[in-house]
């Protein structure tokens, strides 16, 4: 496993490029987002996705999330009408995962099998944004929650100790204050809060 010690506010471009190269080779990494550390891999990375499912003991009903640079990338992967787009624009970047109807460009393995939905999130974290910029495409992301634990791991040295033989890369940006993302389902007529996390989305419900 490669470890990259990256500054949380001023990510070193050389190290970001090396981490992005791992993702391009369909490797599984752990990196910081604006809420916590998370698993990340390329959209079509079958081996990395299989590894991720194994580590987290996920079944096929799991709702995956795509981390996007900005809203311009969303149209490829999710269908949104004008009203939804305005709501998304007003609430990004933020620690919010929006559940949207997936387009046919989303690999079948990633869209929710029954609902045909996908989670979309635009982060404000400098490292996550730098990584997305270097990749020039969304990153498949998943919370760093292990099956036998309720908490999200926030100490990169503990993450390294626990998972060094199961992942390919780790971006160490120091200990993060762990928060959960807020999850909002946008597929019905009215936005519905599935999980209240770090972001206040009351204005979405007005």
């Amino acid at each position: 496993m490669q470890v990259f010690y990256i500054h949380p506010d001023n990510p070193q471009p050389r190290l970001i490029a090396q981490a992005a190269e791992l993702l391009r080779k369909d490797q599984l990494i752990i990196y910081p987002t604006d809420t916590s550390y998370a698993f990340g891999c390329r959209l079509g990375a079958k081996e990395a996705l299989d590894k991720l499912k194994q580590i987290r003991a996920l079944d096929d009903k799991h709702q995956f999330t795509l981390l996007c640079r900005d809203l311009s990338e969303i149209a490829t992967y999710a269908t949104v009408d004008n009203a939804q787009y305005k709501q998304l624009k007003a609430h990004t970047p933020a620690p919010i995962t929006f559940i949207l109807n997936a387009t046919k460009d989303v690999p079948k393995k990633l869209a929710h099998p029954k609902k045909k939905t996908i989670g979309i999130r635009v982060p404000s974290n400098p490292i996550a944004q730098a990584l997305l910029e270097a990749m020039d495409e969304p990153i498949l992301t998943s919370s760093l929650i292990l099956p036998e634990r309720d908490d999200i791991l926030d100490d990169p040295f503990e993450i390294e100790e626990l998972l060094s033989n199961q992942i390919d890369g780790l971006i160490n940006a120091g200990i993060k204050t762990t928060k959960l993302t807020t999850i909002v389902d946008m597929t019905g007529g009215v936005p519905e809060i599935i999980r209240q996390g770090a972001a206040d989305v009351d204005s979405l419900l007005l």
Side-chain angles (χ1 to χ4, degrees):
M1 180 188 73
Q2 280 184 263
V3 182
F4 306 97
Y5 295 93
I6 296 184
H7 193 282
D9 302 314
N10 300 298
Q12 302 92 313
R14 181 178 58 84
L15 297 179
I16 289 289
Q18 288 172 12
E21 193 52 38
L22 277 188
L23 287 172
R24 277 193 209 96
K25 289 178 179 166
D26 293 349
Q27 309 280 287
L28 179 64
I29 71 164
I30 288 173
Y31 70 106
T33 69
D34 35 9
T35 47
S36 60
Y37 280 95
F39 291 102
C41 65
R42 268 189 79 206
L43 260 177
K46 185 186 178 307
E47 270 183 46
L49 184 60
D50 288 345
K51 259 190 219 175
L52 166 53
K53 284 181 166 179
Q54 200 174 354
I55 295 168
R56 284 205 56 196
L58 299 175
D59 61 22
D60 289 336
K61 296 182 183 70
H62 183 72
Q63 177 72 76
F64 284 103
T65 295
L66 299 183
L67 211 68
C68 298
R69 247 180 313 190
D70 53 41
L71 292 185
S72 68
E73 294 187 320
I74 286 179
T76 309
Y77 304 101
T79 52
V80 290
D81 60 29
N82 287 343
Q84 287 173 323
Y85 187 83
K86 279 180 185 165
Q87 289 171 318
L88 293 173
K89 200 168 166 56
H91 291 85
T92 52
I96 305 170
T97 296
F98 294 99
I99 307 297
L100 298 161
N101 290 312
T103 64
K104 290 189 169 58
D105 285 308
V106 174
K108 284 192 173 64
K109 283 176 182 287
L110 304 185
H112 191 284
K114 281 193 179 149
K115 301 176 190 163
K116 303 287 188 285
T117 53
I118 188 75
I120 298 278
R121 183 173 156 203
V122 179
S124 58
N125 178 279
I127 292 174
Q129 275 291 351
L131 207 50
L132 288 164
E133 193 69 39
M135 288 298 291
D136 199 26
E137 63 181 52
I139 295 170
L140 173 71
T141 194
S142 182
S143 304
L144 187 47
I145 303 171
L146 301 182
E148 67 278 9
R149 299 174 64 135
D150 297 326
D151 58 328
I152 297 181
L153 300 173
D154 61 357
D155 180 340
F157 295 102
E158 187 187 7
I159 293 167
E160 188 177 345
E161 201 176 301
L162 287 170
L163 294 170
S164 61
N165 61 345
Q166 296 179 73
I167 60 169
D168 305 295
L170 165 67
I171 292 180
N172 183 329
I175 293 177
K176 282 190 68 66
T177 308
T178 303
K179 298 171 285 194
L180 289 166
T181 49
T182 297
I183 301 176
V184 182
D185 188 337
M186 303 285 283
T187 58
V190 179
E192 181 190 351
I193 297 175
I194 304 296
R195 180 176 76 196
Q196 180 60 64
D200 179 8
V201 286
D202 287 347
S203 55
L204 258 178
L205 309 179
L206 298 176

